[in-house]
Amino acid sequence: MRCFYRLALMAMVAAFVAFAGPTTGKAAGQARATKQSRRHAGTTAARTTQNSAGVTFEDVTRAAGINFHLTCGGPQKLYIMESMCGGVAVFDYDNDGWMDILLVDGSTLADLRAGHCHHVALDRNNHDGTFTDVTTKAGLSHCGWGFGVAVGDYDNDGYEDVYITYLDGGVLYHNNGNGTFTDVTAKAGVGNGGRWGTSAAFGDYDNDGRLDLYVTNYVDLDLNHLPAFGSGPFCQYRGIPVSCGPRGLKGSRDRLYHNNGDGTFTDVSDKLGIDAEADYGLGVIWLDYDKDGCLDLYVSNDSSPSRLYHNNCKGGLTEVGMEAGVAFSADGLPQAGMGVDSADYDNDGWPDLVKTNFSDDTNNLYHNDHNGSFTDQAGPTGFGPISTAFLGFGVKFLDYDNDGWMDVFVANGHVDPQVDGHAFGVSYAERNFLFHNLGGRFAEVGLEVGQALRQTGVRRGLAVGDFENKGFLDLVVTQLDGAPVLLRNHPAKARNHWIAIKTVGRKSNRDGFGARIELKAGGRTQVQEVRSNSSFLSASDPRTHFGLGAAAQVDEITIHWPSGTVDTIRKQPADQTLTVEEGSGVTNQIPGRRSNHQP
């Protein structure tokens, strides 16, 4: 996790760099960066303001009735697992059309050994800006040291199921459709065998209409023989003792579970060559980066190369991260990758990637070059430089002001409390970032959008959702050893327009995960992919949200479903949520609700 070992890593990564070839060399990267910089410069001439929409975010956690405290080890973070809890999911568990919130709790060594229960918390949306804890009623009763959460309808029954990762495995909850869940882990075969799971994601990699499950695993940790705090070369940060790892600890191999269609899964990790080097896995996302209709996979790893698996559309996955330019930093070093997300940030029709990293390094913004490779544009776009003194975890693309350009939110917080009191230029508690997209370049406006984003904390999970069905995206951010933060989006009086799309697959998986939506409005074309699981340990509102700027009408929507079906919808008014069923078009239209909290 600690990128301060940069000099030591130089020698360690030499073998990797030797094979990088011309497409990943520094000179080639600089050439691509120069080309992209020139193109971006042309798109930003008319967009020179910062937070031009006048949006503010308000912390409404207490007012919303969310009463949750995230426990994650002791305050000194003596062991590595104590620094990374905090998964959060935003999804509609009861199909009432309103997004609910699930929060994953950690534990402590003492509680774990004593059998003291820590479980997830499920907060039901009351449709009035408040939530009610329904955890017990819902039957989410598994006890353990939790980390991440993935959401998806794995059995295509129309109700979202939930997968939770733990320090010693994973749990799959089947949604019974009556407000309750059943633990089906043993039957399904997705227990993750005593491994420390972190992020997880559902996606249909073979386009058979059923969601498969990828689980990232971190280190092989023996709780009875934990490395002593500050006891070796990988237990130091700039000369001060800190928790040990991940370097010096054995990595734990990720797992890919194929959905058999009968409520069970088969582990195909060995068959498909998944994570053969047993990297330190932390983040994962399914995306179709080459637009061939088959889901590829990107995994952000800690202190080891990140991995990009290309899907050959025949059931095979080939790791191409180095060739594609997304395995290492610009200077050829493995990074401490945490959160990851994908969106088309420059509206060129191709999905790009964002990844957060450790302090003393910059976050990555990988531009899709349309030829199977990416160029890190974090520097030229203004996204990366500010992150050097911060440590990023959760990350999400979202159009927070509905202007038709994807912005980025980053949840920050260090892992070592011991950095406080030293002149390192970093602190344990940090503020979050909000990057406003100025047409392919970014301005960090976190200090300009209200008091809530000026506050510091130790943040981890991050999810996005429209909790009031008002057409403006809110955020949930988790904090170590504290309450989560629910950030309500307050638009300015002159609000931009929007449209949201809920996809319902028939030949494709019921969620429509992996579908590509092309939308034309106001003389601009936007492209988004349907997904829920990304960021760090988290899952977001699965409805696809488009900002439309001044356009009061959508001219055309084209949905490319994973099955190959294409639906085209024309002339839709803005400011509504459409339900689109594969092969049938629009089956429901719900106008946006004006929030009582809006100006």
Side-chain angles (χ1 to χ4, degrees):
M1 186 184 298
R2 300 180 176 90
C3 280
F4 52 86
Y5 290 114
R6 297 181 69 83
L7 294 177
L9 286 174
M10 284 283 194
M12 194 158 47
V13 78
F16 291 114
V17 178
F19 295 102
T23 62
T24 57
K26 187 173 181 181
Q30 289 174 336
R32 289 197 299 267
T34 299
K35 179 181 178 182
Q36 297 301 333
S37 260
R38 291 170 181 163
R39 184 172 59 80
H40 286 311
T43 66
T44 58
R47 296 176 54 80
T48 57
T49 57
Q50 306 298 299
N51 181 32
S52 58
V55 171
T56 59
F57 285 90
E58 179 188 6
D59 180 353
V60 297
T61 313
R62 290 187 177 182
I66 296 175
N67 183 20
F68 177 84
H69 180 93
L70 174 60
T71 299
C72 196
Q76 294 304 308
K77 309 305 174 194
L78 302 180
Y79 305 105
I80 190 169
M81 71 281 189
E82 298 182 313
S83 63
M84 290 192 295
C85 309
V88 55
V90 173
F91 69 117
D92 182 8
Y93 86 96
D94 54 357
N95 280 0
D96 65 353
W98 296 76
M99 291 295 121
D100 311 299
I101 300 173
L102 185 146
L103 295 155
V104 181
D105 201 8
S107 187
T108 66
L109 276 173
D111 285 351
L112 201 64
R113 289 165 177 164
H116 181 71
C117 188
H118 289 259
H119 50 69
V120 302
L122 178 61
D123 290 310
R124 183 180 184 274
N125 193 324
N126 296 327
H127 310 177
D128 61 0
T130 68
F131 295 79
T132 298
D133 188 330
V134 295
T135 311
T136 301
K137 179 181 177 181
L140 300 171
S141 58
H142 182 85
C143 301
W145 193 318
F147 285 89
V149 54
V151 173
D153 182 5
Y154 77 88
D155 59 349
N156 291 330
D157 66 353
Y159 288 88
E160 298 296 336
D161 309 300
V162 176
Y163 186 81
I164 313 291
T165 61
Y166 287 89
L167 190 58
D168 60 351
V171 172
L172 177 63
Y173 285 108
H174 176 258
N175 190 328
N176 301 320
N178 60 1
T180 69
F181 293 81
T182 299
D183 184 341
V184 295
T185 312
K187 175 187 175 182
V190 291
N192 199 29
R195 300 176 183 90
W196 174 3
T198 51
S199 296
F202 285 102
D204 182 8
Y205 77 88
D206 56 353
N207 283 347
D208 64 356
R210 301 185 292 266
L211 290 177
D212 311 300
L213 175 65
Y214 192 95
V215 182
T216 56
N217 291 311
Y218 192 48
V219 299
D220 187 0
L221 202 63
D222 183 352
L223 295 182
N224 295 317
H225 299 89
L226 291 169
F229 177 84
S231 61
F234 300 112
C235 313
Q236 303 284 321
Y237 177 72
R238 299 190 183 185
I240 64 171
V242 295
S243 65
C244 301
R247 287 292 183 186
L249 302 176
K250 182 181 178 182
S252 184
R253 190 173 180 182
D254 297 348
R255 314 312 296 179
L256 175 58
Y257 296 100
H258 177 261
N259 190 329
N260 300 322
D262 59 359
T264 69
F265 292 74
T266 297
D267 186 342
V268 294
S269 309
D270 292 336
K271 176 183 176 182
L272 297 183
I274 297 298
D275 194 20
E277 302 299 320
D279 300 310
Y280 306 117
L282 285 179
V284 59
I285 189 169
W286 293 99
L287 75 157
D288 182 8
Y289 75 91
D290 55 354
K291 301 203 300 186
D292 62 359
C294 303
L295 282 181
D296 311 298
L297 184 74
Y298 186 63
V299 181
S300 58
N301 290 316
D302 187 357
S303 304
S304 50
S306 291
R307 306 293 182 180
L308 178 64
Y309 295 91
H310 177 255
N311 192 330
N312 65 6
C313 295
K314 299 178 181 178
L317 296 171
T318 302
E319 205 287 302
V320 296
M322 191 179 300
E323 296 89 333
V326 293
F328 302 107
S329 68
D331 49 0
L333 294 175
Q335 297 174 290
M338 266 73 83
V340 63
D341 197 21
S342 175
D344 178 15
Y345 78 84
D346 57 350
N347 284 339
D348 68 353
W350 292 75
D352 310 300
L353 282 164
V354 63
K355 179 167 69 73
T356 57
N357 296 305
F358 203 85
S359 56
D360 307 323
D361 197 357
T362 59
N363 296 334
N364 307 115
L365 183 66
Y366 291 116
H367 178 264
N368 191 323
D369 295 335
H370 313 175
N371 59 3
S373 65
F374 294 77
T375 299
D376 191 349
Q377 289 289 327
T381 61
F383 176 76
I386 193 175
S387 63
T388 304
F390 292 79
L391 201 164
F393 275 90
V395 61
K396 279 297 297 178
F397 282 108
L398 75 159
D399 186 356
Y400 78 90
D401 57 350
N402 285 345
D403 67 351
W405 295 86
M406 280 293 190
D407 313 299
V408 187
F409 192 97
V410 179
N412 291 316
H414 213 277
V415 297
D416 300 317
Q418 294 76 21
V419 300
D420 286 342
H422 296 272
F424 295 152
V426 298
S427 62
Y428 184 50
E430 300 174 341
R431 73 174 181 92
N432 297 319
F433 292 149
L434 178 62
F435 291 93
H436 187 213
N437 192 331
L438 306 178
R441 296 181 64 86
F442 292 88
E444 204 287 301
V445 297
L447 298 176
E448 303 174 24
V449 292
Q451 182 63 30
L453 265 68
R454 299 189 188 109
Q455 302 301 311
T456 61
V458 186
R459 281 59 179 259
R460 294 296 182 258
L462 163 64
V464 172
D466 181 0
F467 292 109
E468 297 185 297
N469 290 330
K470 64 187 183 301
F472 278 76
L473 294 173
D474 310 306
L475 302 109
V476 185
V477 187
T478 65
Q479 301 191 98
L480 284 191
D481 307 315
V485 179
L486 175 57
L487 295 170
R488 178 174 288 145
N489 185 331
H490 291 299
K493 290 184 178 180
R495 297 187 292 273
N496 288 325
H497 295 288
W498 59 276
I499 198 162
I501 300 170
K502 177 183 178 181
T503 50
V504 179
R506 292 304 179 190
K507 292 181 181 178
S508 304
N509 67 86
R510 182 64 178 258
D511 288 313
F513 288 173
R516 186 174 78 252
I517 303 178
E518 300 174 359
L519 181 144
K520 296 179 180 179
R524 179 187 303 153
T525 299
Q526 298 180 57
V527 180
Q528 292 191 45
E529 295 178 327
V530 181
R531 70 173 60 86
S532 173
N533 310 283
S534 63
S535 187
F536 175 71
L537 307 179
S538 300
S540 289
D541 189 337
R543 299 172 297 186
T544 309
H545 181 98
F546 290 88
L548 304 178
Q553 175 182 276
V554 174
D555 299 319
E556 184 175 278
I557 301 168
T558 303
I559 303 180
H560 300 266
W561 298 88
S563 68
T565 299
V566 178
D567 285 320
T568 301
I569 300 145
R570 294 182 174 87
K571 302 299 181 184
Q572 290 290 327
D575 305 328
Q576 61 171 328
T577 298
L578 302 179
T579 297
V580 181
E581 185 174 316
E582 182 178 12
S584 300
V586 177
T587 59
N588 195 22
Q589 298 173 262
I590 302 176
R593 174 179 177 271
R594 182 174 177 84
S595 168
N596 293 329
H597 312 287
Q598 287 183 9

